[in-house]
Amino acid sequence: MAGASKNSRTSVTTQKFLCPDCGGEITMKTMYESGKLKNLAECSKCKRVERRPKDFK
């Protein structure tokens, strides 16, 4: 019998990132641009867009 894979055993954690300028929540969006997928972080209030949530600081 095969056991559960290592990836299926990890727990799912979600983090909430807050924009330091306006206090809005930062959400991750996936954009399809020129044949490539790009992950972007966008603030829900001020609509500021960065590459990742860490770049807002």
Side-chain angles (χ1 to χ4, degrees):
M1 284 266 160
S5 70
K6 182 176 71 172
N7 290 335
S8 69
R9 289 190 304 247
T10 60
S11 63
V12 175
T13 59
T14 56
Q15 294 179 329
K16 280 196 174 185
F17 295 102
L18 298 177
C19 181
D21 297 335
C22 68
E25 187 177 344
I26 297 172
T27 57
M28 292 298 293
K29 299 194 176 201
T30 304
M31 304 288 288
Y32 187 74
E33 203 172 279
S34 66
K36 294 182 181 179
L37 288 174
K38 286 179 96 179
N39 291 319
L40 298 174
E42 182 180 20
C43 176
S44 59
K45 277 189 183 178
C46 63
K47 302 297 182 194
R48 183 174 157 195
V49 177
E50 296 288 342
R51 202 179 100 215
R52 55 187 178 198
K54 188 173 153 185
D55 293 340
F56 278 86
K57 295 179 179 169

